[in-house]
Amino acid sequence: MLESIRQYFQNWSDACEYANECAPDLSFFGNGEPFTALLFVAAACYLAFAVNEARIMRRSLAQRSGLATAVAPEAKAPAGKPIHEPAVQEKLAA
């Protein structure tokens, strides 16, 4: 069994050396220069779009959570502290 596998690889190696085609055929990557450049530009634009959308979503979520705490501060007030503290102007006026 191993002898037949070795013989197969030996024949394949001999054929590659004879035909000078040992490297894989990657001809579909070559000579398509305008298309590869356009593909690269499109990929860069999509990457910038995805990063910007992620930042917008994070900022939006942060603003929503900040707005929720500003609307309902009693939700995070500790049990020992009063919920409504007097304003600074009221303290200075007294």
Side-chain angles (χ1 to χ4, degrees):
M1 172 79 176
L2 291 176
E3 182 63 29
S4 63
I5 294 173
R6 188 194 68 76
Q7 186 65 32
Y8 171 78
F9 281 121
Q10 183 63 44
N11 289 342
W12 179 78
S13 175
D14 292 343
C16 276
E17 289 178 12
Y18 178 75
N20 286 330
E21 295 179 357
C22 294
D25 183 26
L26 300 176
S27 62
F28 56 89
F29 281 126
N31 295 335
E33 185 56 38
F35 300 112
T36 55
L38 287 175
L39 181 65
F40 176 75
V41 169
C45 289
Y46 178 75
L47 179 64
F49 168 76
V51 168
N52 285 335
E53 286 296 316
R55 287 182 180 174
I56 289 170
M57 292 299 288
R58 276 188 298 192
R59 186 178 297 153
S60 174
L61 288 175
Q63 287 176 351
R64 285 182 191 167
S65 65
L67 181 62
T69 57
V71 170
E74 63 272 0
K76 290 192 174 185
K81 288 189 173 183
I83 293 173
H84 300 287
E85 295 183 9
V88 174
Q89 292 295 335
E90 293 175 6
K91 285 183 182 178
L92 291 176

